[in-house]
Amino acid sequence: MCIRDSSYQIAEKRKKRKKEEREVGDLLVQLSDGLPEAPNPGGDLVDYERLYECIEQNAMKSPKDVVESLVDLAEKWLDGNINPDDITIVATKKG
């Protein structure tokens, strides 16, 4: 037997969730797992903590500059190696 929430129940649950407000200047970065899982020559992965630090350090810049800083980080980390996965990065800032 499969028990499912009705559309009404789902809508009510969504209404109860606290809506997170975005403020002018807030930065949203979306990326694929190809970046945090990029290996350096020693096999170590970039990992999310390193990416978070890079984003924090560049958050006041334009979205384009934030993306470029992440690409630079990846290129330095890969140290000439080819990443086995694709990388997608999208950055937007609320105006």
Side-chain angles (χ1 to χ4, degrees):
M1 180 175 176
C2 180
I3 301 172
R4 297 184 186 176
D5 286 339
S6 70
S7 295
Y8 174 78
Q9 289 170 319
I10 293 170
E12 287 301 306
K13 285 179 184 178
R14 287 182 180 157
K15 285 181 190 176
K16 289 180 183 177
R17 280 192 226 151
K18 182 179 178 183
K19 185 178 179 182
E20 189 173 329
E21 295 293 324
R22 304 282 184 234
E23 296 179 12
V24 173
D26 282 356
L27 175 70
L28 173 65
V29 178
Q30 302 171 23
L31 50 92
S32 65
D33 64 351
L35 182 53
E37 295 177 3
N40 68 8
D44 298 319
L45 304 182
V46 172
D47 206 3
Y48 288 95
E49 185 62 32
R50 191 171 280 106
L51 298 177
Y52 182 76
E53 289 171 6
C54 181
I55 292 167
E56 266 193 331
Q57 292 170 1
N58 294 281
M60 299 312 291
K61 297 180 181 178
S62 72
K64 179 183 178 196
D65 289 340
V66 173
V67 170
E68 287 176 1
S69 68
L70 290 167
V71 170
D72 289 344
L73 172 70
E75 288 176 349
K76 288 175 188 168
W77 185 261
L78 290 166
D79 194 27
N81 289 345
I82 296 174
N83 192 7
D85 198 357
D86 64 321
I87 296 175
T88 302
I89 307 169
V90 178
T92 56
K93 192 172 273 197
K94 184 169 181 175

